[in-house]
Amino acid sequence: MSRPHGIPLPSARRSSDSDEKESACADDKQGQPRPREGVRQLTGAERVRTLVESNASVSLTLPDAFDQAEWWTGVPAARTVTPDGDVILLVPGESAAARAAAHAQDDDLTAVIEITDVAPVSVPHRIRARARLTGWLTPVRGDDRAVCAALLAERHPVGELLGLAESQDPPYTGRPAWMMLRLEVGEITLDDLWGAEQVDPDELAGAEPDPLAAHETELLQHLASAHADRVADLCGLLGSREAAGLTAVPLALDRLGLRVRFTADSGRSSFDARFDFPEPVADVCGLRRAMRALFAAAAR
């Protein structure tokens, strides 16, 4: 097994006003640390697919809504991606999105999904990613309903799927308590820890979500609370960079490696380091082996 290595991802310079407007991950002091070129990473489509099917915060808006009071339609209960690359959303049957989509034709209802991913641990610059998917919204109809419900249940086993039948409660008697909507994606923008880019919607269909995404929050919080000393030891893999006076917090995890944010005690500067696994992991069992190898390398 090859020795895991750390790749410093240098801290960005202080952001100017124009930089802050361009980067969704910037704040008023310092932008997110960005990677050097050539670092092994998930593709943009894989990162978007992972965000769509994660527990990150999501909102749905209808920019062309006639009634501007209904421009923001709320938070879908669940979402997933079909083999064709469409995004399926589960929304309340009485919501503005459900009512508007019920009367929509194939391409006359523009909708925007915005996803914001926040680190589940306390670090500077806590927003890890923002994604924006724009397209056309229609209800899921006919035989597609069973197929899409099965996809949602596979990714998000939520009780709301039981409410796809008609409600018996006034004033919504005869309406579905919950409705599945389909977003045919026309444009995707992504701004995350790896940088900002446009993602081809056609690539979303073939991309797979990261296999660790469902466990990432729990794993990062466990590393931060139970193994903080071992995470801090990883600084020893960075070569000439001094470990003294730094705190280390595990920031992100995927099948290819672990990202750690190192912050000076003053809190005024930080940098990221990416620790690649010897090989991609497929599940939590593979992750345990990879983490043991990583910690062993840092202890030498």
Side-chain angles (χ1 to χ4, degrees):
M1 181 177 290
S2 62
R3 177 184 173 93
H5 58 283
I7 301 177
L9 308 179
S11 174
R13 61 179 169 79
R14 184 180 177 90
S15 300
S16 67
D17 292 342
S18 60
D19 291 333
E20 290 164 13
K21 293 176 182 177
E22 293 174 0
S23 175
C25 291
D27 67 5
D28 61 352
K29 294 182 180 179
Q30 174 188 329
Q32 287 280 12
R34 300 296 198 183
R36 292 173 178 168
E37 293 183 1
V39 178
R40 193 171 64 177
Q41 60 183 279
L42 304 181
T43 67
E46 288 173 329
R47 298 189 327 260
V48 171
R49 178 78 183 254
T50 300
L51 284 171
V52 169
E53 302 197 358
S54 72
N55 292 323
S57 173
V58 63
S59 65
L60 174 65
T61 59
L62 307 176
D64 298 328
F66 178 77
D67 183 354
Q68 289 302 301
E70 296 185 345
W71 185 84
W72 185 80
T73 67
V75 178
R79 68 264 186 186
T80 192
V81 179
T82 71
D84 294 328
D86 297 336
V87 178
I88 302 301
L89 304 167
L90 184 66
V91 302
E94 71 276 11
S95 66
R99 295 198 303 272
H103 304 288
Q105 300 302 315
D106 291 342
D107 59 358
D108 66 353
L109 182 61
T110 303
V112 178
I113 300 173
E114 293 185 288
I115 304 172
T116 302
D117 177 43
V118 179
V121 290
S122 180
V123 290
H125 323 298
R126 198 167 175 180
I127 294 178
R128 300 189 301 182
R130 284 197 174 104
R132 180 183 174 94
L133 295 84
T134 304
W136 302 274
L137 200 65
T138 55
V140 176
R141 296 186 172 99
D143 295 340
D144 287 345
R145 285 168 51 84
V147 174
C148 291
L151 284 174
L152 279 172
E154 179 182 351
R155 298 292 186 186
H156 300 274
V158 293
E160 286 84 351
L161 286 170
L162 299 176
L164 292 176
E166 293 182 350
S167 174
Q168 301 303 312
D169 299 324
Y172 307 116
T173 303
R175 297 186 195 173
W178 293 86
M179 181 181 288
M180 289 181 293
L181 304 180
R182 182 194 307 273
L183 183 78
E184 181 185 348
V185 182
E187 182 178 287
I188 302 173
T189 58
L190 173 66
D191 188 4
D192 65 2
L193 295 171
W194 297 104
E197 62 181 283
Q198 295 273 342
V199 176
D200 187 341
D202 291 338
E203 296 179 1
L204 191 61
E208 289 291 333
D210 187 80
L212 300 181
H215 311 284
E216 187 198 23
T217 294
E218 179 183 359
L219 291 168
L220 289 177
Q221 291 174 344
H222 176 72
L223 283 173
S225 62
H227 302 289
D229 55 340
R230 304 187 76 177
V231 174
D233 288 343
L234 295 176
C235 198
L237 295 175
L238 300 181
S240 61
R241 197 180 286 273
E242 292 292 333
L246 294 175
T247 59
V249 180
L251 176 66
L253 183 66
D254 58 52
R255 70 175 185 272
L256 300 179
L258 172 70
R259 186 180 183 123
V260 177
R261 179 152 296 169
F262 294 93
T263 305
D265 285 346
S266 65
R268 294 181 178 179
S269 63
S270 61
F271 69 91
D272 285 8
R274 172 77 172 186
F275 300 91
D276 288 343
F277 299 143
E279 59 185 22
V281 300
D283 51 34
V284 174
C285 290
L287 175 66
R288 291 194 185 102
R289 292 191 293 270
M291 291 302 301
R292 283 197 293 267
L294 188 60
F295 289 145
R300 291 173 190 159

